[in-house]
Amino acid sequence: MTLTSRFPEDDDRILVAGARDGDADALAELVQRHQGVLFRFLLARTGDEDQAADLAQDALVKALRSLPQFRGDSSFRTWLLAIARNEMLGRHRKEGRRKEQGLETGMEVADDRPAPGQALETQGEVDRVRRLMDRLPEKQRLSVWLRLYDGLSFREVAEATDSTEGAARVNYFHGIRKLREWADESRT
Amino acid sequence: MNHEREGRDKAIGCERVREHLPLRLSGVHPSGASEVPDADLDAHLADCAECTDELAFLELLSASRPSPPAHLAARVVARALGSRPLASGPAGVDDPDVVPFRASRRAPQWSRWWANPAAAAAVLVLAVGMGLVARGGTPGQDGGTVLAAFDAQSAELWAEDWLVAGAPYLDGVSDETLALLVAGIDP
Ligand SMILES: [Zn+2]
């Protein structure tokens, strides 16, 4: 459900300005528009739906409360993903965990080993694909998800994953290639 | 850079096409400028089995796109609306009538029935049906009570954000936004 009658689909600036001025509809539409990419970004990072939803909620609320500080240098989506990233790191730190494991800039090598006991043929197609996605290294999974599921530009992917545009592109292609190989293997 | 021709005449190379195939998938909205024009992609796809194959595979992948839980948007909107007055005019936290956020402040007594989600949902449905939800003008206690029922499981959040700010301000809120808030009620 979107309020497309009132707001142009491709322009967040009107929504941001509206939400900042106290327009509840604009605020709701902004949330509707970006909750998906935010949730998926956090799910790709955490691998846990509850945790991703929880973090997404906090990041969105924080972003909406900070709208007066949003200068529009980047897109609202990029800004939101940056807030989510900080939110996640903050929580990791709080929980005394190691931060940003395996998230250095650059490419990653995929794990080629088949997951133990994986009987892909018996899974539903969607289930099957999700399992394959889970096998990708985090940066490849993030690049594939953000580009494939939400149509982010590679520049945006790079900003969201703290890497370079070139690395984001390579991670996307490597991820897709791996997925195809695994999918072919599981069919034969 | 490298344009794979594969003996055929293609205006753009496979790599460039594949980079842009995700934007062709249903439900994905292109975001950036300088994307390849649809006509060029179509022309390439009509002539390239490999890229057509890749597009089919991406369609398969995109079917697994995870969706956020139904209550997420409603909870966010409720918390965000509760954290400051949303009204016509420039009212903000400086408004003398609005008590600023204070987590330690106790929620009013009537908040206890939140503990029962079914009761909360029932009250909400009833109230919406009776047109009690405050929209426009100054919301009264009924409006506040009803709106507080939108998400029974977020009682703490409401207590934290919404109630300490007094009655919610929802001037001119559309049916869609109300429906969104209603969608946040867990069955
Ligand atoms: Zn091609």
Coordinates of all heavy atoms in Angstrom, one line a residue, chain A residues 37-102:
Chain A
V37 N 14.1 -2.2 1.8 CA 15.5 -2.3 1.5 C 16.3 -2.3 2.8 O 17.3 -3.0 3.0 CB 16.0 -1.1 0.6 CG1 15.7 0.2 1.3 CG2 17.4 -1.2 0.2
L38 N 15.8 -1.5 3.8 CA 16.5 -1.4 5.1 C 16.5 -2.8 5.8 O 17.5 -3.3 6.3 CB 15.8 -0.4 6.0 CG 16.3 -0.2 7.4 CD1 17.8 0.3 7.3 CD2 15.5 0.7 8.2
F39 N 15.3 -3.4 5.8 CA 15.1 -4.7 6.4 C 16.0 -5.8 5.8 O 16.8 -6.5 6.4 CB 13.7 -5.2 6.4 CG 13.5 -6.6 6.8 CD1 13.5 -7.0 8.2 CD2 13.2 -7.6 5.9 CE1 13.4 -8.3 8.6 CE2 13.0 -8.9 6.3 CZ 13.1 -9.3 7.6
R40 N 16.1 -5.8 4.4 CA 16.9 -6.7 3.7 C 18.4 -6.5 3.9 O 19.1 -7.4 4.1 CB 16.5 -6.7 2.2 CG 15.2 -7.4 1.9 CD 14.9 -7.4 0.4 NE 14.4 -6.1 -0.1 CZ 13.1 -5.8 0.0 NH1 12.2 -6.5 0.6 NH2 12.7 -4.6 -0.5
F41 N 18.7 -5.2 3.9 CA 20.1 -4.9 4.2 C 20.6 -5.5 5.6 O 21.6 -6.1 5.7 CB 20.3 -3.3 4.2 CG 21.6 -2.8 4.7 CD1 22.8 -3.0 3.9 CD2 21.7 -2.2 5.9 CE1 24.0 -2.6 4.4 CE2 23.0 -1.7 6.4 CZ 24.1 -1.9 5.6
L42 N 19.7 -5.3 6.6 CA 20.1 -5.7 7.9 C 20.0 -7.3 8.0 O 20.7 -7.9 8.7 CB 19.2 -5.1 8.9 CG 19.5 -3.6 9.1 CD1 18.4 -2.8 9.8 CD2 20.8 -3.4 9.9
L43 N 19.1 -7.8 7.2 CA 18.9 -9.3 7.2 C 20.2 -9.9 6.6 O 20.7 -10.9 7.0 CB 17.7 -9.7 6.5 CG 17.4 -11.2 6.4 CD1 17.3 -11.8 7.8 CD2 16.1 -11.5 5.6
A44 N 20.6 -9.3 5.5 CA 21.8 -9.8 4.8 C 23.0 -9.7 5.8 O 24.0 -10.5 5.7 CB 22.1 -9.0 3.6
R45 N 23.0 -8.7 6.6 CA 24.1 -8.5 7.6 C 24.0 -9.4 8.8 O 25.0 -9.9 9.3 CB 24.2 -7.1 8.1 CG 24.5 -6.0 7.0 CD 25.9 -6.0 6.5 NE 26.9 -5.9 7.6 CZ 27.5 -4.8 8.0 NH1 27.2 -3.7 7.4 NH2 28.4 -4.8 8.9
T46 N 22.8 -9.6 9.3 CA 22.7 -10.3 10.6 C 22.3 -11.8 10.4 O 22.6 -12.6 11.2 CB 21.6 -9.7 11.5 OG1 20.4 -9.8 10.8 CG2 22.0 -8.2 11.8
G47 N 21.6 -12.1 9.3 CA 21.1 -13.4 9.1 C 20.0 -13.8 10.0 O 19.6 -15.0 10.0
D48 N 19.4 -12.8 10.7 CA 18.3 -13.1 11.6 C 17.2 -12.2 11.4 O 17.4 -11.0 11.6 CB 18.9 -13.0 13.0 CG 17.9 -13.4 14.1 OD1 17.1 -12.5 14.5 OD2 17.9 -14.5 14.6
E49 N 16.0 -12.7 11.1 CA 14.9 -11.8 10.8 C 14.4 -10.9 11.9 O 14.1 -9.8 11.7 CB 13.7 -12.7 10.3 CG 14.0 -13.3 8.9 CD 12.7 -13.7 8.2 OE1 11.6 -13.3 8.6 OE2 12.8 -14.4 7.1
D50 N 14.4 -11.5 13.1 CA 13.9 -10.7 14.3 C 14.9 -9.6 14.6 O 14.5 -8.4 14.8 CB 13.8 -11.6 15.5 CG 12.6 -12.6 15.4 OD1 11.7 -12.3 14.6 OD2 12.6 -13.6 16.1
Q51 N 16.1 -9.9 14.5 CA 17.2 -8.9 14.8 C 17.1 -7.8 13.7 O 17.3 -6.7 14.0 CB 18.5 -9.6 14.8 CG 19.5 -9.0 15.7 CD 20.9 -9.6 15.6 OE1 21.0 -10.8 15.2 NE2 21.9 -8.9 16.0
A52 N 17.0 -8.3 12.5 CA 16.9 -7.3 11.4 C 15.7 -6.4 11.5 O 15.8 -5.2 11.3 CB 16.9 -8.1 10.0
A53 N 14.6 -6.9 11.9 CA 13.4 -6.1 12.0 C 13.5 -5.1 13.2 O 13.1 -4.0 13.1 CB 12.2 -7.0 12.3
D54 N 14.1 -5.6 14.2 CA 14.4 -4.8 15.4 C 15.3 -3.6 15.1 O 15.0 -2.5 15.4 CB 15.1 -5.7 16.4 CG 14.8 -5.3 17.8 OD1 13.7 -4.8 18.1 OD2 15.7 -5.4 18.7
L55 N 16.4 -3.9 14.4 CA 17.4 -2.9 14.0 C 16.7 -1.9 13.0 O 17.0 -0.7 13.1 CB 18.6 -3.5 13.4 CG 19.6 -4.2 14.4 CD1 20.5 -5.2 13.7 CD2 20.4 -3.1 15.1
A56 N 16.0 -2.5 12.1 CA 15.3 -1.6 11.1 C 14.4 -0.6 11.8 O 14.3 0.6 11.4 CB 14.6 -2.5 10.1
Q57 N 13.7 -1.1 12.7 CA 12.7 -0.2 13.5 C 13.5 0.9 14.1 O 13.1 2.1 14.0 CB 12.0 -1.1 14.5 CG 10.8 -0.3 15.0 CD 10.0 -1.1 16.1 OE1 9.7 -0.6 17.1 NE2 9.8 -2.4 15.8
D58 N 14.5 0.6 14.8 CA 15.3 1.6 15.5 C 16.0 2.6 14.6 O 16.0 3.8 14.8 CB 16.4 0.9 16.4 CG 15.8 0.3 17.6 OD1 14.6 0.5 17.9 OD2 16.5 -0.5 18.3
A59 N 16.5 2.0 13.5 CA 17.2 2.9 12.5 C 16.2 3.9 11.9 O 16.5 5.1 11.7 CB 17.9 2.1 11.4
L60 N 15.0 3.4 11.5 CA 14.0 4.2 10.9 C 13.6 5.3 11.9 O 13.4 6.5 11.5 CB 12.8 3.4 10.4 CG 12.9 2.9 9.0 CD1 11.9 1.8 8.8 CD2 12.7 4.0 8.0
V61 N 13.3 5.0 13.1 CA 12.8 5.9 14.1 C 13.9 7.0 14.3 O 13.7 8.2 14.3 CB 12.5 5.3 15.4 CG1 12.2 6.3 16.5 CG2 11.2 4.4 15.2
K62 N 15.2 6.5 14.4 CA 16.3 7.4 14.6 C 16.4 8.4 13.4 O 16.6 9.6 13.5 CB 17.6 6.7 14.7 CG 18.8 7.5 15.1 CD 20.0 6.7 15.5 CE 19.9 6.3 17.0 NZ 21.2 5.7 17.4
A63 N 16.2 7.8 12.2 CA 16.3 8.7 11.0 C 15.2 9.7 10.9 O 15.5 10.9 10.6 CB 16.3 7.8 9.7
L64 N 14.0 9.3 11.2 CA 12.9 10.2 11.2 C 13.0 11.3 12.2 O 12.7 12.5 12.0 CB 11.6 9.4 11.4 CG 11.2 8.5 10.3 CD1 10.1 7.6 10.7 CD2 10.9 9.2 9.0
R65 N 13.6 10.9 13.4 CA 13.7 12.0 14.4 C 14.9 12.9 14.1 O 15.0 14.0 14.6 CB 14.1 11.3 15.8 CG 12.8 10.7 16.4 CD 13.2 10.0 17.7 NE 12.0 9.3 18.2 CZ 12.0 8.4 19.2 NH1 13.2 8.0 19.7 NH2 10.9 7.9 19.6
S66 N 15.8 12.4 13.2 CA 16.9 13.2 12.8 C 16.7 14.0 11.5 O 17.7 14.6 11.0 CB 18.2 12.4 12.7 OG 18.3 11.5 13.9
L67 N 15.5 13.9 11.0 CA 15.3 14.6 9.7 C 15.8 16.0 9.6 O 16.3 16.5 8.6 CB 13.8 14.5 9.3 CG 13.4 13.2 8.7 CD1 11.9 13.3 8.3 CD2 14.2 12.9 7.4
P68 N 15.6 16.8 10.7 CA 16.1 18.2 10.7 C 17.6 18.3 10.4 O 18.1 19.3 9.9 CB 15.8 18.7 12.0 CG 14.6 17.9 12.5 CD 14.8 16.6 12.0
Q69 N 18.3 17.2 10.7 CA 19.8 17.2 10.4 C 20.1 16.6 9.1 O 21.3 16.7 8.7 CB 20.5 16.4 11.5 CG 20.7 17.1 12.8 CD 19.5 16.8 13.8 OE1 19.1 15.7 14.0 NE2 18.9 17.9 14.2
F70 N 19.1 16.1 8.4 CA 19.4 15.5 7.0 C 19.5 16.7 6.0 O 18.6 17.4 5.8 CB 18.3 14.6 6.6 CG 18.4 14.0 5.2 CD1 19.5 13.3 4.9 CD2 17.4 14.3 4.3 CE1 19.6 12.8 3.6 CE2 17.5 13.8 3.0 CZ 18.7 13.0 2.7
R71 N 20.8 16.8 5.5 CA 21.0 17.9 4.6 C 20.8 17.6 3.1 O 20.8 18.5 2.3 CB 22.5 18.4 4.8 CG 22.8 18.9 6.2 CD 23.9 19.9 6.2 NE 25.0 19.4 5.4 CZ 26.0 18.7 5.9 NH1 26.0 18.3 7.1 NH2 27.0 18.3 5.1
G72 N 20.5 16.3 2.8 CA 20.3 16.0 1.4 C 21.5 15.8 0.6 O 21.4 15.9 -0.6
D73 N 22.7 15.7 1.2 CA 23.9 15.5 0.4 C 23.9 14.2 -0.3 O 24.4 14.0 -1.4 CB 25.1 15.6 1.3 CG 25.3 16.9 2.0 OD1 24.7 17.9 1.4 OD2 25.9 17.0 3.0
S74 N 23.3 13.2 0.4 CA 23.1 11.9 -0.3 C 21.6 11.7 -0.4 O 20.8 12.5 0.0 CB 23.7 10.8 0.6 OG 23.0 10.7 1.8
S75 N 21.2 10.5 -1.0 CA 19.8 10.2 -1.0 C 19.4 9.8 0.4 O 20.2 9.5 1.3 CB 19.6 9.0 -2.0 OG 20.1 7.8 -1.4
F76 N 18.1 9.9 0.6 CA 17.5 9.5 1.9 C 17.9 8.0 2.2 O 18.2 7.7 3.3 CB 16.0 9.7 2.0 CG 15.4 9.3 3.3 CD1 15.5 10.0 4.4 CD2 14.7 8.1 3.3 CE1 14.9 9.6 5.6 CE2 14.1 7.6 4.5 CZ 14.2 8.4 5.7
R77 N 17.8 7.2 1.1 CA 18.1 5.8 1.3 C 19.5 5.5 1.7 O 19.7 4.7 2.7 CB 17.8 5.1 0.0 CG 18.1 3.6 0.0 CD 17.4 2.9 -1.2 NE 18.0 3.3 -2.5 CZ 17.6 2.8 -3.7 NH1 16.6 2.0 -3.7 NH2 18.2 3.2 -4.8
T78 N 20.4 6.2 1.1 CA 21.8 6.0 1.5 C 22.1 6.5 2.9 O 22.8 5.8 3.7 CB 22.7 6.9 0.6 OG1 22.6 6.3 -0.8 CG2 24.2 6.8 1.0
W79 N 21.4 7.6 3.3 CA 21.6 8.1 4.6 C 21.0 7.1 5.6 O 21.6 6.8 6.7 CB 20.8 9.4 4.7 CG 20.9 10.2 5.9 CD1 22.1 10.8 6.5 CD2 19.9 10.6 6.8 NE1 21.7 11.4 7.6 CE2 20.4 11.3 7.9 CE3 18.5 10.3 6.8 CZ2 19.7 11.8 8.9 CZ3 17.7 10.8 7.9 CH2 18.3 11.6 8.9
L80 N 19.8 6.6 5.3 CA 19.2 5.6 6.2 C 20.0 4.4 6.4 O 20.1 3.8 7.5 CB 17.8 5.2 5.6 CG 16.9 4.2 6.3 CD1 16.6 4.8 7.7 CD2 15.7 3.9 5.5
L81 N 20.6 3.9 5.3 CA 21.4 2.7 5.4 C 22.7 2.9 6.2 O 23.1 2.1 7.0 CB 21.8 2.2 4.0 CG 20.6 1.6 3.2 CD1 21.1 1.2 1.8 CD2 19.9 0.5 3.8
A82 N 23.2 4.2 6.2 CA 24.3 4.5 7.0 C 23.9 4.5 8.5 O 24.7 4.1 9.3 CB 24.9 5.9 6.6
I83 N 22.8 5.1 8.7 CA 22.3 5.1 10.1 C 22.1 3.6 10.6 O 22.5 3.3 11.7 CB 20.9 5.8 10.2 CG1 21.2 7.3 10.1 CG2 20.2 5.6 11.6 CD1 19.9 8.2 10.0
A84 N 21.6 2.8 9.7 CA 21.4 1.4 10.1 C 22.7 0.7 10.4 O 22.8 -0.1 11.4 CB 20.6 0.6 9.0
R85 N 23.7 1.0 9.6 CA 25.0 0.4 9.8 C 25.6 0.8 11.2 O 26.1 0.0 11.9 CB 25.9 0.9 8.7 CG 27.0 -0.1 8.4 CD 27.7 0.2 7.1 NE 29.1 -0.1 7.2 CZ 30.0 0.7 7.5 NH1 29.7 2.0 7.7 NH2 31.2 0.3 7.6
N86 N 25.4 2.1 11.5 CA 25.9 2.6 12.8 C 25.1 2.0 13.9 O 25.7 1.6 14.9 CB 25.8 4.1 12.8 CG 26.8 4.8 12.0 OD1 27.9 4.2 11.7 ND2 26.6 6.0 11.6
E87 N 23.9 1.8 13.7 CA 23.0 1.2 14.7 C 23.5 -0.2 15.0 O 23.6 -0.6 16.2 CB 21.6 1.2 14.2 CG 20.5 0.9 15.2 CD 20.3 2.0 16.2 OE1 20.7 3.2 15.9 OE2 19.6 1.8 17.2
M88 N 23.8 -0.9 13.9 CA 24.2 -2.3 14.1 C 25.6 -2.4 14.8 O 25.8 -3.2 15.7 CB 24.3 -2.9 12.7 CG 24.1 -4.4 12.7 SD 24.2 -5.1 11.1 CE 26.0 -5.0 10.8
L89 N 26.5 -1.5 14.3 CA 27.8 -1.5 14.9 C 27.7 -1.1 16.4 O 28.4 -1.7 17.3 CB 28.7 -0.5 14.2 CG 29.1 -0.9 12.8 CD1 30.0 0.1 12.1 CD2 29.8 -2.3 12.7
G90 N 26.9 -0.2 16.7 CA 26.7 0.3 18.1 C 26.2 -0.9 19.0 O 26.7 -1.1 20.1
R91 N 25.3 -1.6 18.4 CA 24.8 -2.7 19.2 C 25.8 -3.8 19.4 O 25.9 -4.4 20.4 CB 23.5 -3.3 18.5 CG 22.6 -4.0 19.5 CD 21.3 -4.5 18.8 NE 20.4 -3.3 18.6 CZ 19.1 -3.5 18.3 NH1 18.6 -4.7 18.3 NH2 18.4 -2.5 18.1
H92 N 26.6 -4.1 18.3 CA 27.6 -5.1 18.4 C 28.6 -4.7 19.5 O 29.0 -5.5 20.3 CB 28.4 -5.2 17.1 CG 27.7 -6.1 16.1 ND1 28.4 -7.1 15.5 CD2 26.5 -6.2 15.7 CE1 27.6 -7.8 14.7 NE2 26.4 -7.3 14.8
R93 N 29.0 -3.4 19.5 CA 29.9 -2.9 20.5 C 29.3 -3.1 21.9 O 30.0 -3.6 22.8 CB 30.2 -1.5 20.2 CG 31.7 -1.2 19.9 CD 32.0 0.2 19.6 NE 32.0 0.4 18.1 CZ 31.3 1.3 17.4 NH1 30.5 2.0 18.0 NH2 31.5 1.4 16.1
K94 N 28.1 -2.8 22.0 CA 27.4 -2.9 23.3 C 27.4 -4.3 23.8 O 27.6 -4.6 25.0 CB 26.0 -2.4 23.2 CG 25.6 -1.4 24.3 CD 24.1 -1.0 24.1 CE 24.0 0.3 23.4 NZ 22.6 0.6 23.1
E95 N 27.2 -5.2 22.8 CA 27.2 -6.6 23.2 C 28.6 -7.3 23.3 O 28.7 -8.5 23.5 CB 26.4 -7.4 22.2 CG 24.9 -7.1 22.3 CD 24.1 -7.5 21.1 OE1 24.7 -8.2 20.2 OE2 22.9 -7.2 21.0
G96 N 29.6 -6.4 23.1 CA 30.9 -6.9 23.3 C 31.4 -7.8 22.2 O 32.4 -8.6 22.4
R97 N 30.7 -7.8 21.1 CA 31.1 -8.7 20.0 C 32.2 -8.0 19.2 O 32.4 -6.8 19.2 CB 29.9 -9.0 19.1 CG 29.0 -9.9 19.8 CD 28.2 -10.7 18.8 NE 26.8 -10.9 19.3 CZ 25.8 -10.5 18.6 NH1 25.9 -9.9 17.4 NH2 24.6 -10.8 19.0
R98 N 32.8 -8.8 18.4 CA 33.8 -8.3 17.4 C 33.0 -7.6 16.3 O 32.0 -8.0 15.8 CB 34.6 -9.4 16.8 CG 35.6 -10.0 17.8 CD 36.7 -10.7 17.1 NE 37.3 -9.9 16.1 CZ 37.8 -10.4 15.0 NH1 37.8 -11.7 14.7 NH2 38.4 -9.6 14.1
K99 N 33.5 -6.4 16.0 CA 32.8 -5.6 15.0 C 33.2 -6.0 13.6 O 34.3 -6.3 13.3 CB 33.1 -4.1 15.3 CG 34.6 -3.8 15.3 CD 34.8 -2.3 15.3 CE 36.2 -1.9 15.2 NZ 36.5 -0.5 15.2
E100 N 32.1 -5.9 12.7 CA 32.3 -5.9 11.3 C 33.2 -7.1 10.8 O 34.2 -6.9 10.1 CB 32.9 -4.6 10.8 CG 32.0 -3.5 10.9 CD 31.5 -3.0 9.6 OE1 30.4 -3.5 9.2 OE2 32.1 -2.1 9.0
Q101 N 33.0 -8.3 11.3 CA 33.8 -9.4 10.9 C 33.7 -9.6 9.4 O 32.6 -9.6 8.8 CB 33.3 -10.6 11.6 CG 33.9 -10.7 13.0 CD 33.3 -11.9 13.8 OE1 32.1 -12.2 13.7 NE2 34.2 -12.6 14.5
G102 N 34.9 -9.8 8.8 CA 34.9 -10.1 7.4 C 34.4 -9.0 6.5 O 34.0 -9.3 5.4

